[in-house]
Structures are given as C-alpha cells and as structure tokens.
Amino acid sequence: MKKSLFTTIVLLSLTPIAQANKVKTLSVSAPDGYHKDAVVKVYSTNGEKWTSVDNTHESLFAVNLNAKCKYEGKGNKAYKGNFWVSGFERVGTLAPSNKLIPHSKKASSKFRYQGDTNLNIVKACNTELTKRLSENADLTKYHVLAKGFTIDYPAAFNASYSLLCKPTGIGFSDSRTKSTKINAKIQCQGSDLAKEKIPKPKPVPIKKVKLAKLIKKIEFGPNVKHIVGKCPAQVEYNGSITANRFGMVEYQYVSHDGRKSPKFKLKFDKAGTKKLRVWKRTINKESDVKAIRASSSNKRKFDYTGWYRVDILNQEGVNSVKKGYTLTCQDKPMQIKK
C-alpha cells in the first residue's frame, strides 16, 4: 500500500498537471517605418572614408509585442521579460516592466553599440558613398564625407524578446523566445577632416571680349558745295553714321567761326546706318567772317567761304569730318553748282 502511494505521487509530479504555468502567446514584429530614435552613428577618423561606429550614442529600439502566460498570478508576478538587440548593450530601463507585460503592445529600451552585428554598419556608409559619387560626377568623396547623410536601412538588426512564465504555485516555469529583424537609421556623420580636403576651385580666367570699333563710317557734307545767287542764302548740311555694332554715339557740329550746335545722340541697337540731324545756316554778306572782293568791275559780287565739322564726342580717338562750302552773292537768280 505504501509503495503504491509513493509511485502515484511520483507519477503525478511527472505529468503535465504538475506544470503550474506556461507561455500562452508570444509574438514580436518590427514597427512600421523607421523609428526616429533608432539611430546608429558612424564617423570618420581620417576624412577619407567612414571608419568607426559611435559606441557612446544611445539608440532607442522597439518591437511590437504580444505576450501572454496561461496564468498571471497575483499582481502579475508570473511574468518576466527580456529584450535585446544583437551587437548592442542595453543601457536603459526595459519597458514594459514585468507586471505590465500582458497589458503592453510594445517592448523597448535604449542600447549602445558593442560590435559584431549581422550588418557591417561602416561598410553600409561607404557603399552609399560610392553610390552617391557615381550619381554625381561633379562631387568628390570629400564633398560627401564633409556633409554626411542618413540611410534608412530595412531589417538592419536582429531583435529578440524572451518571456518567462513563472509558476503561481508548485510546478515548473515555461519560457519562449521570439526574434525579428528591425529597421534602423544609420547616420553617416559629416567629417571636418574631409571638409579641409575638399579641392579648392581653380579660378576661371576671365576672357576679355574686345568689342569691335563702334563707328564704321561717317558721311557728312553740304547739300551744295558752291551756291551762286541772291543773298541772304541758306547752307544745309546732312549726313549719316554707320555702326559696326550696338552702342551710343554722341556728336556735335562746329563751324569755321567757332559756333557749336547742341549735342545730339544716336542710339544703335545693332549694326546699321542712321541719319545725322540736318543742320542749316543762313548767310548774308555781313555775317561771314571771311569776305573777299572777287571782282573790282562788279562791286555787288562777294565770295564767302566757310566749313562745318561733325565731331564724335564719346568714342576713343578723334572722329571728325570737316567739309567746306562757298557762296557767291549776286543779283541774278541763284545758280547751284554741285
């Protein structure tokens, strides 16, 4: 009888009924997108490429969590969880706390890089560097290294969560672990050393464009060189300027007796010819500075000589054209001699 009772107790202790708790549900998954705090920083020690991962920076990693034990126990004392990321050391408080595990949908904590991850983080920065240089031939590697960039890296690291369901009475504990790949941001930091190595742009020589001379040709003179007839008589001058290109010409008429006209302007928008302003002067026998008695037999006949000059005022060098005229006053009707 005693032997039979002992056997029964041993058998009961080995049956599933003796297990006081077990894991009912455990699942983990990566959050959508890229968590703003899940950042791993990489820096350059030589300004030539990225070389090292910052193991002082604290990054917040998280996973979606669904964890349930068959029995919670009083005050949820049956629950115990652990969360880790391969290649990182946890340095922050684990959330949720044990008693809140069954009521939480997320597990998270802060971590520092320790090395030996499934992803070569430094290589990821340098691979992206090569890609960006191939897409922009105007940049050197120093331009990219000096500025830096951030990579949204999918499934970058392996995160795991372990759930332990402790017995609420006499019996065994039960545990289970689930893992998932989580996204991260890799911050390839800008390098001051690379900034100092950016090639200085070579000064572009300024080519001086020598404009063609503005004035190509000046035509100027009196309509009639020699006028014979009754006085007073009118002398008329006109002409034109031909330009090689666009520009402004300023000119003025000057007479033999020192008289000057107002200053006139001709604006050329392109090469071409434009007429000068017509200039007229009325002359009689008292007005001219030079009068020569032409004939003692004809005391009413006088010869007048004079000239007009057009001066270009705003161009290099002296551009002037001078043309003379003669006028003979007599009683007969005016005779024009070309």
Side-chain angles (χ1 to χ4, degrees), residues 17-153:
I17 299 173
Q19 184 173 323
N21 209 348
K22 66 178 182 178
V23 176
K24 182 179 180 181
T25 301
L26 178 62
S27 65
V28 293
S29 62
D32 294 333
Y34 300 86
H35 196 283
K36 64 179 182 179
D37 289 324
V39 176
V40 180
K41 296 185 176 184
V42 184
Y43 58 91
S44 173
T45 57
N46 55 20
E48 296 291 328
K49 61 180 180 179
W50 278 282
T51 56
S52 307
V53 181
D54 185 352
N55 59 8
T56 64
H57 176 71
E58 296 181 358
S59 299
L60 180 66
F61 288 97
V63 292
N64 298 322
L65 175 68
N66 183 12
K68 295 287 189 295
C69 293
K70 183 175 181 180
Y71 304 111
E72 292 190 11
K74 189 175 182 181
N76 300 324
K77 290 182 179 180
Y79 283 82
K80 186 175 182 180
N82 189 23
F83 175 49
W84 66 94
V85 179
S86 297
F88 291 82
E89 175 190 14
R90 194 172 79 229
V91 294
T93 302
L94 177 63
S97 62
N98 290 333
K99 65 179 181 179
L100 296 179
I101 291 174
H103 312 292
S104 179
K105 295 183 179 180
K106 183 177 76 171
S108 64
S109 188
K110 288 185 177 181
F111 294 83
R112 286 199 193 109
Y113 175 76
Q114 290 296 298
D116 196 23
T117 63
N118 56 301
L119 170 67
N120 188 326
I121 304 171
V122 172
K123 184 178 179 181
C125 285
N126 290 317
T127 299
E128 182 66 17
L129 169 63
T130 302
K131 177 184 175 184
R132 296 194 178 203
L133 290 175
S134 68
E135 294 172 349
N136 195 331
D138 295 332
L139 296 179
T140 68
K141 68 178 180 179
Y142 302 113
H143 285 94
V144 182
L145 277 159
K147 189 175 182 181
F149 49 77
T150 299
I151 308 170
D152 289 337
Y153 209 103

Side-chain angles (χ1 to χ4, degrees), residues 172-236:
F172 297 103
S173 299
D174 188 21
S175 65
R176 192 178 304 174
T177 300
K178 292 288 185 179
S179 300
T180 187
K181 297 286 186 181
I182 55 175
N183 302 335
K185 287 180 177 290
I186 299 176
Q187 188 181 89
C188 309
Q189 296 180 283
S191 168
D192 289 337
L193 289 174
K195 188 175 182 180
E196 295 174 359
K197 296 181 180 183
I198 294 176
K200 300 293 186 293
K202 294 181 179 179
V204 179
I206 300 174
K207 294 183 179 179
K208 293 183 178 180
V209 178
K210 188 176 182 180
L211 291 175
K213 189 177 179 181
L214 177 59
I215 296 175
K216 181 179 181 180
K217 182 173 64 173
I218 301 174
E219 297 285 349
F220 177 69
N223 281 357
V224 180
K225 287 185 178 181
H226 184 65
I227 304 171
V228 180
K230 290 184 177 181
C231 290
Q234 190 176 73
V235 178
E236 179 179 312

Side-chain angles (χ1 to χ4, degrees), residues 147-168:
K147 189 175 182 181
F149 49 77
T150 299
I151 308 170
D152 289 337
Y153 209 103
F157 305 113
N158 191 57
S160 302
Y161 190 87
S162 177
L163 174 65
L164 175 65
C165 295
K166 296 185 290 185
T168 56

